[in-house]
Amino acid sequence: MGLTSRSLLYIMIAVAVVCVGLTLWLWPRLAGRGPLPMLGRLGTVVATQLAIVSALGLAVNANFQFYSSWGELLGTYDDAPAAVSKWGDHGGAGPAGDPAKGLVQASGPEGLDKVHGLPKGPPERTGKVESVRIVGKRTRAVDPAYVYLPPQYFQRQFARQRFPVVVAISGYPGGTFLLGQHLRVPQTAGELIRKGQMQPTVIVMLRPTIAPPRDTQCVDVPGGPQAETFFAKDLPDALKSHYRVGRDPGGWGVFGYSSGGSCALQLAMRHPRTYTSAAALSPDYRIHNDPTTGNLFGDDKDRMRRKQGHDLMWRLENLPAPQVSVLIGTSREGEKNYPAAKAFLDAVKPPMKAESIILDHGSHNFITWRRELPAALQWMSKQLTFPEDVVGNS
């Protein structure tokens, strides 16, 4: 029974209800002072609490799809080279793919069937969202993705045309489902394209980790998961091999919220020949180790250099600015990252360009990010160059 299945949720709710009922019924019989009645009372309380917490946890996960399978939750995979990686042991948990079978492979729905408001009808009129698996040619990592293809992708007059690309990255521990269901990226993009407020664009939606449950933060971990290589090299190569997308960096942008926004800024500033623009909603500007990331930078003599390289404020102060454009979304009240966002924006210098979406009030949640999303997508559309090359040209 799948982790996100409604049947499992309903069963767990029923178990919780039964546990509450049994506790009420048995409590008078366990009112004695001996060790057995005391153990009985303790057992009923623990069983009831576990059942209720499990039901609530399953309900929240079914709604937000933080973990789409038991394998992701437990850190085990049928085709993984290792079951679980301990933090800091230089291991790399995660499924290993076979690039020989294709860099973009058809996948199960991965929650796409539960996303509301997706395009319905002929794709040449409404567009289409596909669920695929991206396989890294270098890293052999596998990451599930949704790919939004605009209506023009299927229209005869665009049959040989390549399209600009936006890579959209969710926060952690969320996944692609959140980008579709709660942030509503493909629905919003489709509406903007229909109204002529955004150019036809392929949007690829992914989670920020390639080795769940570990938060890889788009970093190449020494001896571990090579998340930066996956997003900066493997992902573009895979998309170019399968879809009609532009070859030039001017047609590539990256977008994200929360830790996905941090990844977006990291990728654009560290790889300006891959992504020339980044839109980040509520990002961080430095990457730190924590219990979900483990040791991201290693313990050798190059540890400090790696850590500084992922400190965007340090990069702005000590390295030449990259020729990229960035957009920062934040709120003056309700978000703790406003002072850091202001400091980052103030530190940007040419040829790098920076703009902002600053709300008067907002919080670190989807209500705020949905308010910022249309403006962020329109801004991104203006940064991206519609590819001039066509299929058949290198």
Side-chain angles (χ1 to χ4, degrees), residues 151-167:
Q152 292 79 1
Y153 191 90
F154 303 96
Q155 295 171 3
R156 182 176 300 177
Q157 62 267 38
F158 292 93
R160 298 181 64 237
Q161 178 64 55
R162 300 189 186 277
F163 290 82
V165 181
V166 171
V167 173

Side-chain angles (χ1 to χ4, degrees), residues 105-130:
Q105 302 174 5
S107 174
E110 296 284 352
L112 186 62
D113 54 336
K114 301 176 183 178
V115 176
H116 301 299
L118 292 178
K120 293 183 179 180
E124 63 273 14
R125 293 184 181 179
T126 63
K128 180 182 180 182
V129 181
E130 299 181 340

Side-chain angles (χ1 to χ4, degrees), residues 65-379:
Q65 293 273 324
F66 293 123
Y67 299 99
S68 61
S69 68
W70 291 106
E72 283 194 8
L73 178 65
L74 301 174
T76 59
Y77 304 86
D78 293 338
D79 54 353
V84 176
S85 171
K86 294 183 179 179
W87 301 153
D89 69 350
H90 304 303
D98 183 2
K101 297 179 180 179
L103 302 180
V104 178
Q105 302 174 5
S107 174
E110 296 284 352
L112 186 62
D113 54 336
K114 301 176 183 178
V115 176
H116 301 299
L118 292 178
K120 293 183 179 180
E124 63 273 14
R125 293 184 181 179
T126 63
K128 180 182 180 182
V129 181
E130 299 181 340
S131 177
V132 300
R133 300 166 76 230
I134 306 295
V135 180
K137 181 168 61 177
R138 301 165 185 81
T139 62
R140 298 178 66 87
V142 178
D143 211 17
Y146 298 161
V147 180
Y148 167 75
L149 302 170
Q152 292 79 1
Y153 191 90
F154 303 96
Q155 295 171 3
R156 182 176 300 177
Q157 62 267 38
F158 292 93
R160 298 181 64 237
Q161 178 64 55
R162 300 189 186 277
F163 290 82
V165 181
V166 171
V167 173
I169 306 175
S170 71
Y172 176 87
T176 51
F177 177 80
L178 299 184
L179 289 163
Q181 175 67 10
H182 294 285
L183 192 56
R184 302 183 64 79
V185 170
Q187 300 92 322
T188 304
E191 183 68 13
L192 292 173
I193 292 172
R194 186 184 67 81
K195 293 180 178 179
Q197 297 173 354
M198 178 180 177
Q199 62 183 328
T201 304
V202 172
I203 302 179
V204 185
M205 293 158 272
L206 307 97
R207 61 191 180 189
T209 177
I210 63 168
R214 185 176 188 177
D215 182 8
T216 48
Q217 286 280 341
C218 297
V219 171
D220 279 351
V221 181
Q226 303 295 287
E228 183 174 15
T229 297
F230 178 84
F231 281 100
K233 297 180 180 180
D234 283 347
L235 177 61
D237 285 350
L239 298 175
K240 291 172 185 177
S241 75
H242 190 81
Y243 296 103
R244 300 197 319 272
V245 295
R247 280 8 189 194
D248 188 88
W252 285 72
V254 57
F255 161 88
Y257 67 88
S258 191
S259 58
S262 305
C263 282
L265 291 178
Q266 293 276 339
L267 290 168
M269 291 181 65
R270 290 173 58 87
H271 299 275
R273 294 185 179 181
T274 301
Y275 302 104
T276 56
S277 58
L281 309 182
S282 305
D284 290 323
Y285 305 94
R286 295 179 173 90
I287 292 179
H288 302 284
N289 290 334
D290 63 37
T292 66
T293 66
N295 186 352
L296 292 173
F297 306 110
D299 295 312
D300 59 21
K301 63 180 181 180
D302 290 329
R303 179 180 185 278
M304 184 54 65
R305 178 183 59 81
R306 296 190 191 100
K307 188 173 182 179
Q308 287 178 334
H310 288 280
D311 182 333
L312 300 185
M313 294 301 296
W314 183 91
R315 295 185 70 89
L316 289 175
E317 293 168 2
N318 296 276
L319 299 177
Q323 191 167 346
V324 297
S325 298
V326 299
L327 175 71
I328 303 298
T330 187
S331 305
R332 290 188 177 88
E333 295 184 9
E335 288 198 74
K336 296 180 180 179
N337 65 359
Y338 175 69
K342 188 175 183 301
F344 176 84
L345 291 167
D346 289 342
V348 170
K349 54 182 180 291
M352 186 174 172
K353 299 178 182 179
E355 297 182 68
S356 62
I357 300 173
I358 300 179
L359 304 179
D360 290 333
H361 302 277
S363 299
H364 201 80
N365 58 34
F366 287 105
I367 296 174
T368 296
W369 299 325
R370 281 197 299 268
R371 293 171 61 194
E372 298 168 336
L373 178 63
L377 290 177
Q378 290 176 288
W379 175 89

